[in-house]
Amino acid sequence: MGRVIFKETRVERVVNVPRNYFWNRIRAFGEIKTLLPETLLEVKLPKDFSNSIGDLRSVYLGDPYPGEVIERLVGVEEGLSLTYSIVDKSCLPISNYVACVNLKDFSSNDTAVSWCGHFVGDGNTEDEIADLLEALYNLILNNIEDQYKKYQS
Amino acid sequence: MLFLQSHVNRIVKVPKSYFWERLRAFDKIQTLLPRTIKEVKIPDNFSNSPGDVRYVYLEKVYQGEVIERLDGFIEEKYMSYSVIDKSCLPVENYVSTVNIKQASQNYTEVNWFGHFKAEKKHKDETVNMFNFNYNLICDNMEKQFNDK
């Protein structure tokens, strides 16, 4: 067993939107820019994108890690869980990133979310990346709440 | 390299709870592939939780170490795991998901996916290898359930 730097980022919180709404927002794999409008510069989708398992999205980030991240939708348990991963060498100094988003009803209008990302660090920046990912997960959750409020009003 | 996918969809003749318990025991993979896996090493801090890893050692066809990580699960429904790169397998970015649902009281419907990248020359052998192993696990589970 060699030395590999395994790292985890986890956000667990109650989000003030119904589970069905939350699910529809994250299940729209090609629409990630709507959840991070000020963070993502651009998202490109292949012509054959059909929001199916195995599909890819190319996400473009600005500072502090500018460049491309190719993400792949790898698994879905309808309404309850979504798994995606980063493929190839991205602009992030990590490898083998896989994230799972698990949902549970907390109440009729609230969803208990567990967003967990696992990756292998480079030995220098994994703590910084873990903090960055945690901030992004929370920002997505905040934006879903804000957008749901506007959607209702 | 090509983006490739293995997929097995079948009915396994064991109850869903049995299938789940066997699958969910992430450190016990050798019991499901006793003739394929030479050894499995588990870190001291292993707790069968997301993020935990198992070190699988193969000796047939591809010899060497495969580090697999449990990435997530939904109880009795769904599990995902991945291979950390630079394994003895000719693939990269391998992530697998297993969806199960009750087909009848004693039967389970299984959808086992593997997503990965491989060189074009390895396309057929890698896709077939994963499909073969998913089916072998399902076959062994049926056999072991009947022998129980």
Side-chain angles (χ1 to χ4, degrees):
Chain A
M1 291 188 279
R3 184 173 179 270
V4 181
I5 298 167
F6 295 105
K7 194 76 182 172
E8 175 183 276
T9 300
R10 180 186 293 268
V11 168
E12 290 183 330
R13 59 181 258 201
V14 172
V15 181
N16 305 130
V17 305
R19 182 166 61 87
N20 187 47
Y21 178 85
F22 191 99
W23 176 252
N24 288 338
R25 297 302 306 276
I26 61 163
R27 182 64 185 82
F29 197 67
E31 308 297 330
I32 184 65
K33 193 169 183 343
T34 64
L35 298 178
L36 288 169
E38 294 178 7
T39 307
L40 304 184
L41 300 180
E42 188 179 6
V43 175
K44 290 183 182 172
L45 303 177
K47 283 180 182 168
D48 61 351
F49 182 87
S50 62
N51 203 27
S52 303
I53 289 170
D55 277 356
L56 304 172
R57 65 187 179 199
S58 296
V59 174
Y60 297 86
L61 306 175
D63 292 333
Y65 295 102
E68 183 185 48
V69 179
I70 302 175
E71 295 181 316
R72 181 174 54 188
L73 176 62
V74 289
V76 165
E77 176 66 29
E78 194 61 36
L80 296 175
S81 186
L82 183 141
T83 305
Y84 64 97
S85 64
I86 293 178
V87 295
D88 290 341
K89 291 187 175 118
S90 75
C91 58
L92 299 173
I94 59 175
S95 59
N96 296 112
Y97 174 86
V98 180
C100 288
V101 191
N102 289 356
L103 312 182
K104 270 196 258 186
D105 284 324
F106 187 78
S107 72
S108 59
N109 289 312
D110 300 298
T111 306
V113 177
S114 172
W115 198 312
C116 195
H118 295 106
F119 59 93
V120 173
D122 66 357
N124 294 309
T125 58
E126 57 272 7
D127 290 338
E128 179 187 337
I129 295 295
D131 291 344
L132 177 73
L133 291 170
E134 185 179 333
L136 285 174
Y137 299 165
N138 273 308
L139 184 56
I140 288 174
L141 304 183
N142 293 340
N143 285 339
I144 287 183
E145 284 180 335
D146 289 345
Q147 292 172 19
Y148 179 69
K149 281 179 197 162
K150 287 176 188 165
Y151 164 78
Q152 279 193 309
S153 59
Chain B
M1 293 187 95
L2 304 174
F3 287 99
L4 299 171
Q5 176 179 295
S6 293
H7 180 213
V8 166
N9 173 225
R10 61 178 269 190
I11 301 293
V12 183
K13 297 171 189 170
V14 303
K16 180 165 73 80
S17 60
Y18 179 84
F19 191 100
W20 177 254
E21 280 175 24
R22 299 300 307 278
L23 179 75
R24 181 66 186 84
F26 197 67
D27 53 331
K28 304 281 190 270
I29 185 64
Q30 195 177 11
T31 64
L32 296 175
L33 289 170
R35 293 185 181 182
T36 308
I37 295 175
K38 182 182 173 189
E39 186 182 7
V40 177
K41 290 182 181 173
I42 303 298
D44 291 339
N45 61 354
F46 183 89
S47 62
N48 205 23
S49 304
D52 278 351
V53 296
R54 62 188 180 199
Y55 296 76
V56 176
Y57 296 89
L58 307 175
E59 60 179 352
K60 291 176 184 168
V61 188
Y62 304 107
Q63 298 181 355
E65 183 185 64
V66 181
I67 306 174
E68 294 184 315
R69 181 182 60 200
L70 175 62
D71 290 310
F73 66 88
I74 294 281
E75 199 66 38
E76 295 222 359
K77 291 180 185 297
Y78 177 75
M79 192 179 101
S80 63
Y81 65 95
S82 56
V83 171
I84 304 305
D85 287 343
K86 296 193 173 79
S87 74
C88 61
L89 302 174
V91 302
E92 292 179 6
N93 299 144
Y94 176 91
V95 184
S96 184
T97 62
V98 191
N99 296 71
I100 65 170
K101 62 181 176 184
Q102 185 172 300
S104 71
Q105 190 174 356
N106 291 312
Y107 289 4
T108 304
E109 183 182 356
V110 176
N111 264 293
W112 200 316
F113 285 93
H115 300 276
F116 54 95
K117 293 189 78 175
E119 299 283 356
K120 191 177 179 183
K121 64 182 178 184
H122 293 303
K123 178 185 173 186
D124 291 339
E125 74 181 85
T126 52
V127 170
N128 293 339
M129 173 187 67
F130 289 119
N131 283 339
F132 178 83
N133 279 319
Y134 303 160
N135 274 309
L136 184 56
I137 288 173
C138 294
D139 293 342
N140 284 339
M141 226 184 269
E142 286 179 341
K143 186 174 184 305
Q144 292 171 18
F145 180 73
N146 289 330
D147 292 345
K148 192 168 67 123

